[in-house]
Amino acid sequence: MTGAEPVSGQAPGGGSGGVMAALQRFIEADGTQRFIITVILVNAVVLGLETSPTARDHFGGLLVALDTIALGIFVIEIAIKLIVYRGRFFTSGWNVFDFVIVAVALVPTVEWLSVLRALRILRAFRLLSVMPQMRQVVQALLSAIPAMGSVILLLSLVFYVSAVIATKLFGADYPDWFGSVGASLFSLFQIMTLESWSMGIVRPVMGEFPYAWVFFVPFILMTSFIVLNLFIAIIVNAMHQSDVEEHNAHEDAVARELAALRQDIAEMRREQAAGKRD
Amino acid sequence: MTGAEPVSGQAPGGGSGGVMAALQRFIEADGTQRFIITVILVNAVVLGLETSPTARDHFGGLLVALDTIALGIFVIEIAIKLIVYRGRFFTSGWNVFDFVIVAVALVPTVEWLSVLRALRILRAFRLLSVMPQMRQVVQALLSAIPAMGSVILLLSLVFYVSAVIATKLFGADYPDWFGSVGASLFSLFQIMTLESWSMGIVRPVMGEFPYAWVFFVPFILMTSFIVLNLFIAIIVNAMHQSDVEEHNAHEDAVARELAALRQDIAEMRREQAAGKRD
Amino acid sequence: MTGAEPVSGQAPGGGSGGVMAALQRFIEADGTQRFIITVILVNAVVLGLETSPTARDHFGGLLVALDTIALGIFVIEIAIKLIVYRGRFFTSGWNVFDFVIVAVALVPTVEWLSVLRALRILRAFRLLSVMPQMRQVVQALLSAIPAMGSVILLLSLVFYVSAVIATKLFGADYPDWFGSVGASLFSLFQIMTLESWSMGIVRPVMGEFPYAWVFFVPFILMTSFIVLNLFIAIIVNAMHQSDVEEHNAHEDAVARELAALRQDIAEMRREQAAGKRD
Amino acid sequence: MTGAEPVSGQAPGGGSGGVMAALQRFIEADGTQRFIITVILVNAVVLGLETSPTARDHFGGLLVALDTIALGIFVIEIAIKLIVYRGRFFTSGWNVFDFVIVAVALVPTVEWLSVLRALRILRAFRLLSVMPQMRQVVQALLSAIPAMGSVILLLSLVFYVSAVIATKLFGADYPDWFGSVGASLFSLFQIMTLESWSMGIVRPVMGEFPYAWVFFVPFILMTSFIVLNLFIAIIVNAMHQSDVEEHNAHEDAVARELAALRQDIAEMRREQAAGKRD
């Protein structure tokens, strides 16, 4: 998601320039944006009401109709954007996001794909792409991820290695928790979140393997420490950014002052030189 | 809660100026403030004792009497303030807070409104409005909220979308946890706090839907990450405020020094110019 | 605990000055300190072993003897310090701490005071007062507490008010959890730590009072937010301290440089003035 | 783990210099590094698959063969490094780490040492020593530990003292949780992580000892506070490091500017002096 957006005002290179420009003005208008936000909100409420049996019984037809209308509006919106921006449409991560969210809803919902029907509510996330302040928040969150890259790699490595060890040691006796690498990964994730780690898992395991704590306690300490450092990386990153701006402002003020001083001195030298020549 | 307080010393524009001024002096006196604080504390203890059956049996009448007296004092205090400050009274959030807290206690307590009786202890929160240092702490806490606005909006959106999905997918099989959007919201809040999320909810759900972790683990990671960023926003905000003060002090020192330098150089140039003229 | 320590080398004003000075040199010698640290460690191990039935069976007599010897050494140490420093002894919080810890062990252990016997291990905390680096850590921890004062007061108020409300609303139906203000305080503390708050307490309560979440969820949000701000107060405080030192160093460097500049300019002006007089 | 690495390019002082130099070039080549990383990854996947019964049934022989080949490659790699670097090999903590990880796999796996077989997956951690960016992350994590030294010592002391007290007070009635100092340490660690501390442990104990909360609640508050300070020590440390770099950059800029100014003024004085001599 680069956030790069098709530059508005740039004339699309088609033949029917007048119509295209009008379409672009229409789709980029503030009123249109506000209308789309309203449609998203109404659609979110409709999809929420659809989960209630009583609401379905009383005005189920209305809810389906409203959902279809909202979907139609989204399809038209994206179609216009595709016509106006063409290839450039897909250079914005947000547009791709909108496109996928809406496209998913158009997939014919076969019986066994009822999961996809449940995902229609994901359209509410279009609020993120439509409201500039939400885009900013999401981009700030995403910008923190690269700084965490290598720590996440380390954490994954610790998880994989621990899962293989746990499966080998405890898998035979506790198949529900450590029967496979996948089951162990889930159990270790639960243990990392400290949920029922002792009463639920480690104490029972220690009934069979009294020294199991030698594995689990260091695992908890290690993952907590790594996660803590993940947090710190984000905090330091955020702090640094807010600091840099501030420092720059300060530095600028001092630099301006110093530049003025040098200017003064330079002028003085010129005057002096001029005085000598007199 | 703006914290704006009626400016003391400003003469109220009524006809009976002398009485009004005396009332204002009385209500704003340190002694009165200390007396009100004492009444609040005694009232809080009385309401606490009222919950104990033995205390009620032995001196229930005394407790009710003390509570009524305390309430009477609060009513008189607020009445005086209303007389003195009139319309300006409601320009302070703290006054509105006091007014509502006391007014609630005057509502006749019908049988089914026993909840309101339990809320009488909220009067203890008047300590916050009466003690300046507590006001400051509360205002510092509240001042952190705007910085969190858009992140809270994002978190709400994630919660709503997840609740609708969870209701659709798991509602039929686990009505207690995911039977309605409201029930799902509560369960997801519990899961976000990591309380019994695995042993209590996700493992049972995975008995029926083996891939349920595909929904819940990302939900935990996502909400934890967003909440973490909420915290960071507050930390950076607090740090920034304490930093800015410090930086400004430093900047001032450097700026003062540089200004003195320019002054020196300017004088020197004047002297030089004067020297040339000689 | 002021940490103020009797100034060594200062001659005690007694008559038998020579003996006193020798005693002071002895008690303040590095070797004596190291010996006391060793005794504390041995005593801690002995008290730990005393909890093991097998260790008690095999050399219970030895353990009791070692404990008595250690206690004797501590009594002698403190007696010497009392003789040497007299009144000044109690001006140091650490000395008072040592005195109380050792005095407790001398109280005759009546049957029903077996708790006091269990507290003998508190002597191991004397390590904190004997080792300078541990003193420093403890003082750093304690120094963070005043900054948290008013936030702790706010948290206590929220707890008390919530406990009274919970007792009134849920006390009759759930006496184990909310039967008295004390029981409610404990349950609310548990809920604040998020331990089994939902599956263990709130969901059962919601069986009887479907709207109980209106009380508990805001309680969790509010206390979490206040505790977070407690943490932030400590972090900002710690950061500030480490920052101030650094900033000062920087400011010093710039100030030195600027002072040198002004010096240069002042000399130049003097030279110029001298030139003019020529 | 000092991270000091044998300086490449330094001629090993053996007689057969040409062969040695060629070996060193080979072992330090980028291609060799990439090959070793691939072998580590393949080996990690193989050891993961070995935990799956179906994978073992279908191509168990292949998995064992691949594991043996990978081990052989590691042995050859380390043998070459030992030949090339000789004594210097062990001056790098990472090399010692590699050596131990591989040596463990060569220990004959007796029946009761099946734990060692499970530890073969630890070889996946060789990724940390082979990839420079992972080395850096691990070293950054390890560098945070010394700053925590004395706080960890304090935490250990609190744990030991609390474990001895808990064993003495509750050991007889709750042998599973507090039967020995070891059991108490585990239970207290669980309580510190807040896992089931109340519903699981303290409420049952309070059935027998109604005042047990006097011990456990302060324990939770104290350890939470100490752990929080542990975190803060790391955060302040990390922040400080990133700050110092930034500050230095800023300081450098200002210092450069000031130095240029002094240079200007010095030149001016020289010119002035020259002018006077004219």
Side-chain angles (χ1 to χ4, degrees):
Chain A
M1 302 204 182
T2 60
E5 220 176 332
V7 184
S8 76
Q10 195 181 333
S16 52
V19 177
M20 292 294 261
L23 267 180
Q24 184 168 358
R25 267 197 306 280
F26 169 72
I27 205 72
E28 286 170 358
D30 279 2
T32 313
Q33 298 291 313
R34 271 196 297 275
F35 174 69
I36 293 290
I37 292 178
T38 314
V39 173
I40 294 171
L41 289 174
V42 169
N43 196 198
V45 171
V46 164
L47 288 168
L49 284 173
E50 254 190 9
T51 62
S52 149
T54 47
R56 262 204 313 268
D57 289 352
H58 285 77
F59 25 73
L62 178 67
L63 292 177
V64 169
L66 280 172
D67 187 41
T68 312
I69 292 171
L71 182 58
I73 292 170
F74 293 150
V75 168
I76 292 168
E77 182 210 357
I78 288 178
I80 293 179
K81 282 195 173 165
L82 272 169
I83 291 169
V84 171
Y85 303 125
R86 302 208 202 147
R88 282 177 297 141
F89 178 84
F90 291 104
T91 58
S92 157
W94 290 109
N95 283 342
V96 174
F97 176 76
D98 286 354
F99 185 84
V100 171
I101 290 292
V102 172
V104 158
L106 296 175
V107 172
T109 50
V110 207
E111 183 85 24
W112 52 268
L113 262 179
S114 68
V115 166
L116 279 189
R117 278 189 64 79
L119 295 186
R120 282 177 307 157
I121 185 66
L122 286 177
R123 274 184 240 154
F125 279 138
R126 287 211 52 206
L127 265 191
L128 303 182
S129 65
V130 174
M131 293 171 70
Q133 61 268 50
M134 295 311 285
R135 279 193 188 204
Q136 232 175 310
V137 171
V138 172
Q139 271 159 359
L141 291 186
L142 293 178
S143 77
I145 290 177
M148 317 186 319
S150 45
V151 182
I152 288 178
L153 192 58
L154 175 61
L155 193 59
S156 312
L157 192 59
V158 169
F159 255 88
Y160 180 73
V161 167
S162 304
V164 171
I165 293 179
T167 310
K168 286 235 170 185
L169 293 182
F170 313 123
D173 293 85
Y174 302 92
D176 279 358
W177 298 336
F178 302 109
S180 67
V181 172
S184 293
L185 282 172
F186 184 81
S187 297
L188 289 175
F189 180 69
Q190 174 191 332
I191 290 171
M192 186 182 74
T193 65
L194 300 177
E195 200 273 288
S196 302
W197 72 266
S198 173
M199 297 314 241
I201 296 206
V202 179
R203 278 188 195 274
V205 170
M206 276 164 75
E208 189 76 21
F209 303 92
Y211 288 100
W213 63 268
V214 174
F215 173 75
F216 289 108
V217 171
F219 174 80
I220 289 174
L221 293 176
M222 220 193 310
T223 52
S224 299
F225 187 60
I226 295 177
V227 167
L228 173 69
N229 276 277
L230 209 60
F231 290 3
I232 290 174
I234 306 175
I235 295 180
V236 170
N237 192 47
M239 208 84 74
H240 193 81
Q241 281 179 346
S242 96
D243 254 33
V244 162
E245 288 161 29
E246 206 180 299
H247 271 240
N248 286 354
H250 179 191
E251 193 166 340
D252 282 4
V254 169
R256 255 200 316 279
E257 200 65 28
L258 283 170
L261 250 174
R262 292 188 74 175
Q263 182 74 18
D264 283 9
I265 289 176
E267 270 176 42
M268 202 165 89
R269 287 173 68 182
R270 223 171 313 122
E271 287 169 15
Q272 231 174 3
K276 247 189 288 181
R277 272 199 302 278
D278 290 348
Chain B
M1 301 202 181
T2 60
E5 220 177 333
V7 183
S8 76
Q10 193 179 334
S16 51
V19 178
M20 292 293 262
L23 267 180
Q24 184 168 358
R25 268 198 306 280
F26 169 71
I27 204 72
E28 287 171 358
D30 280 1
T32 314
Q33 299 290 316
R34 271 196 297 275
F35 174 68
I36 294 289
I37 291 177
T38 313
V39 173
I40 294 170
L41 289 174
V42 168
N43 196 198
V45 172
V46 164
L47 288 168
L49 284 173
E50 255 190 8
T51 63
S52 148
T54 47
R56 264 204 312 269
D57 289 353
H58 285 77
F59 25 73
L62 178 66
L63 293 178
V64 170
L66 281 172
D67 186 41
T68 312
I69 292 171
L71 182 58
I73 292 170
F74 294 149
V75 169
I76 292 169
E77 182 210 358
I78 288 177
I80 293 180
K81 284 192 173 167
L82 273 169
I83 292 169
V84 171
Y85 302 125
R86 301 207 203 147
R88 283 177 298 142
F89 177 84
F90 291 103
T91 59
S92 157
W94 290 108
N95 283 342
V96 175
F97 176 76
D98 287 354
F99 185 85
V100 171
I101 290 293
V102 171
V104 158
L106 297 174
V107 172
T109 50
V110 208
E111 183 87 24
W112 52 268
L113 262 179
S114 67
V115 165
L116 279 188
R117 280 189 62 79
L119 295 185
R120 282 177 307 157
I121 185 66
L122 286 177
R123 274 183 241 154
F125 279 137
R126 287 210 53 207
L127 264 192
L128 302 182
S129 66
V130 173
M131 292 172 70
Q133 61 270 49
M134 295 313 284
R135 278 193 188 204
Q136 231 175 313
V137 171
V138 172
Q139 272 160 358
L141 291 186
L142 292 178
S143 76
I145 290 176
M148 316 186 321
S150 45
V151 183
I152 288 178
L153 192 58
L154 175 61
L155 192 60
S156 311
L157 192 60
V158 169
F159 255 87
Y160 180 72
V161 167
S162 304
V164 172
I165 294 178
T167 310
K168 287 235 171 186
L169 294 181
F170 313 124
D173 293 85
Y174 302 91
D176 278 358
W177 299 335
F178 302 108
S180 67
V181 172
S184 293
L185 282 172
F186 184 81
S187 297
L188 289 175
F189 179 69
Q190 174 191 332
I191 289 171
M192 187 182 74
T193 65
L194 300 177
E195 200 272 287
S196 303
W197 72 267
S198 173
M199 295 317 238
I201 295 205
V202 179
R203 278 188 195 275
V205 170
M206 276 165 75
E208 190 75 20
F209 303 91
Y211 288 98
W213 62 267
V214 174
F215 173 75
F216 289 108
V217 171
F219 174 80
I220 289 174
L221 293 177
M222 221 191 309
T223 53
S224 300
F225 187 59
I226 295 176
V227 168
L228 174 69
N229 276 276
L230 210 60
F231 289 4
I232 290 174
I234 306 174
I235 295 180
V236 170
N237 192 47
M239 208 85 74
H240 193 80
Q241 281 179 345
S242 94
D243 253 33
V244 161
E245 288 160 30
E246 206 180 301
H247 270 240
N248 287 353
H250 179 191
E251 192 166 341
D252 282 4
V254 169
R256 255 199 318 279
E257 199 65 29
L258 283 170
L261 250 173
R262 292 187 74 175
Q263 183 75 18
D264 283 10
I265 288 175
E267 271 176 43
M268 202 164 88
R269 287 173 69 181
R270 225 172 310 120
E271 288 170 14
Q272 230 172 3
K276 248 189 285 178
R277 269 198 304 279
D278 289 349
Chain C
M1 303 203 182
T2 59
E5 220 176 333
V7 183
S8 76
Q10 194 180 334
S16 52
V19 178
M20 291 293 260
L23 266 180
Q24 183 167 0
R25 268 197 305 279
F26 168 72
I27 205 72
E28 287 171 358
D30 279 0
T32 312
Q33 298 292 314
R34 270 196 298 276
F35 174 69
I36 294 290
I37 291 176
T38 313
V39 173
I40 294 170
L41 289 175
V42 168
N43 196 199
V45 171
V46 164
L47 288 167
L49 284 173
E50 255 190 8
T51 64
S52 149
T54 46
R56 265 203 313 269
D57 289 353
H58 285 77
F59 27 71
L62 178 65
L63 293 177
V64 170
L66 280 172
D67 187 40
T68 313
I69 291 170
L71 182 58
I73 292 170
F74 293 148
V75 169
I76 292 168
E77 182 209 358
I78 288 177
I80 292 178
K81 283 193 174 167
L82 273 169
I83 292 168
V84 171
Y85 303 124
R86 300 203 206 152
R88 281 176 299 141
F89 177 85
F90 291 103
T91 58
S92 157
W94 290 109
N95 283 343
V96 175
F97 176 76
D98 287 354
F99 185 84
V100 170
I101 289 293
V102 171
V104 158
L106 296 175
V107 172
T109 51
V110 207
E111 183 87 23
W112 51 269
L113 261 179
S114 68
V115 166
L116 278 188
R117 279 190 63 79
L119 295 184
R120 282 179 306 158
I121 186 66
L122 286 176
R123 273 184 240 154
F125 280 136
R126 288 211 52 207
L127 264 191
L128 302 182
S129 65
V130 173
M131 292 170 72
Q133 62 268 50
M134 293 313 284
R135 279 192 187 206
Q136 230 175 313
V137 171
V138 172
Q139 272 161 358
L141 290 185
L142 293 177
S143 77
I145 289 176
M148 316 187 321
S150 45
V151 183
I152 287 176
L153 192 59
L154 175 61
L155 192 59
S156 312
L157 192 60
V158 169
F159 254 88
Y160 181 72
V161 168
S162 304
V164 171
I165 294 178
T167 310
K168 287 235 171 186
L169 294 182
F170 314 122
D173 293 85
Y174 302 91
D176 279 357
W177 299 334
F178 302 108
S180 67
V181 171
S184 293
L185 281 172
F186 184 81
S187 296
L188 288 175
F189 180 69
Q190 175 191 331
I191 289 170
M192 187 183 74
T193 65
L194 300 178
E195 200 273 286
S196 303
W197 72 267
S198 173
M199 295 315 239
I201 295 204
V202 179
R203 277 188 196 274
V205 170
M206 275 164 76
E208 191 75 23
F209 304 91
Y211 289 98
W213 63 267
V214 174
F215 173 75
F216 290 109
V217 171
F219 174 80
I220 288 175
L221 293 177
M222 222 192 311
T223 52
S224 299
F225 187 59
I226 296 176
V227 168
L228 173 68
N229 276 276
L230 210 61
F231 289 4
I232 290 174
I234 307 174
I235 294 180
V236 170
N237 192 48
M239 208 84 74
H240 193 81
Q241 282 179 345
S242 95
D243 254 32
V244 162
E245 289 161 30
E246 206 180 301
H247 272 240
N248 287 353
H250 179 190
E251 194 166 339
D252 282 4
V254 170
R256 255 200 318 280
E257 198 65 27
L258 283 170
L261 250 174
R262 293 187 75 173
Q263 182 75 19
D264 283 10
I265 289 176
E267 270 175 45
M268 203 164 88
R269 288 173 69 182
R270 224 172 312 123
E271 288 170 15
Q272 230 173 1
K276 247 188 287 181
R277 271 197 305 279
D278 289 349
Chain D
M1 302 202 182
T2 60
E5 219 178 333
V7 183
S8 76
Q10 196 180 332
S16 52
V19 178
M20 291 295 260
L23 266 181
Q24 183 167 0
R25 266 197 307 279
F26 169 72
I27 205 71
E28 287 170 358
D30 279 2
T32 313
Q33 298 291 313
R34 271 196 297 274
F35 175 69
I36 293 290
I37 291 177
T38 313
V39 172
I40 294 171
L41 289 175
V42 169
N43 196 200
V45 171
V46 164
L47 288 168
L49 284 174
E50 255 190 9
T51 63
S52 148
T54 46
R56 263 204 315 268
D57 289 352
H58 284 78
F59 26 72
L62 178 66
L63 293 177
V64 171
L66 281 172
D67 186 41
T68 312
I69 291 171
L71 182 59
I73 292 170
F74 294 148
V75 169
I76 291 168
E77 183 210 356
I78 288 177
I80 292 178
K81 283 194 174 165
L82 273 170
I83 291 168
V84 171
Y85 302 124
R86 299 202 207 153
R88 282 176 298 142
F89 178 85
F90 291 103
T91 59
S92 158
W94 290 109
N95 283 342
V96 175
F97 176 76
D98 287 353
F99 185 84
V100 171
I101 289 292
V102 171
V104 158
L106 296 175
V107 172
T109 50
V110 207
E111 184 87 23
W112 52 268
L113 262 179
S114 69
V115 165
L116 279 189
R117 278 190 63 79
L119 295 185
R120 280 177 309 157
I121 185 65
L122 286 177
R123 272 183 241 154
F125 279 137
R126 287 211 52 207
L127 264 192
L128 303 182
S129 65
V130 173
M131 293 171 71
Q133 62 267 50
M134 294 312 285
R135 280 194 186 202
Q136 231 175 313
V137 171
V138 172
Q139 271 159 358
L141 291 185
L142 293 177
S143 77
I145 290 176
M148 317 185 320
S150 46
V151 182
I152 288 178
L153 192 59
L154 175 61
L155 192 60
S156 311
L157 192 60
V158 169
F159 254 88
Y160 181 72
V161 167
S162 304
V164 172
I165 293 178
T167 310
K168 286 234 172 186
L169 294 181
F170 313 123
D173 293 85
Y174 302 91
D176 278 357
W177 299 334
F178 302 108
S180 67
V181 171
S184 293
L185 282 173
F186 184 81
S187 297
L188 289 174
F189 179 69
Q190 174 191 333
I191 289 170
M192 186 182 74
T193 65
L194 299 177
E195 200 273 288
S196 301
W197 72 266
S198 173
M199 296 314 241
I201 296 206
V202 179
R203 278 188 195 274
V205 170
M206 275 164 75
E208 190 76 21
F209 303 92
Y211 288 100
W213 63 267
V214 174
F215 173 75
F216 289 108
V217 171
F219 174 80
I220 289 175
L221 293 176
M222 221 193 309
T223 52
S224 299
F225 187 60
I226 296 176
V227 168
L228 174 68
N229 277 277
L230 209 61
F231 289 4
I232 290 173
I234 307 175
I235 295 180
V236 170
N237 192 48
M239 209 84 73
H240 192 81
Q241 281 178 346
S242 95
D243 254 32
V244 161
E245 287 161 29
E246 206 181 302
H247 271 241
N248 287 354
H250 179 190
E251 192 166 341
D252 282 4
V254 170
R256 255 200 318 278
E257 199 65 27
L258 283 170
L261 250 174
R262 294 187 72 176
Q263 182 74 18
D264 282 10
I265 288 175
E267 270 175 43
M268 202 163 89
R269 288 173 68 182
R270 222 170 314 122
E271 287 169 15
Q272 233 173 0
K276 246 188 287 182
R277 271 198 304 280
D278 289 350

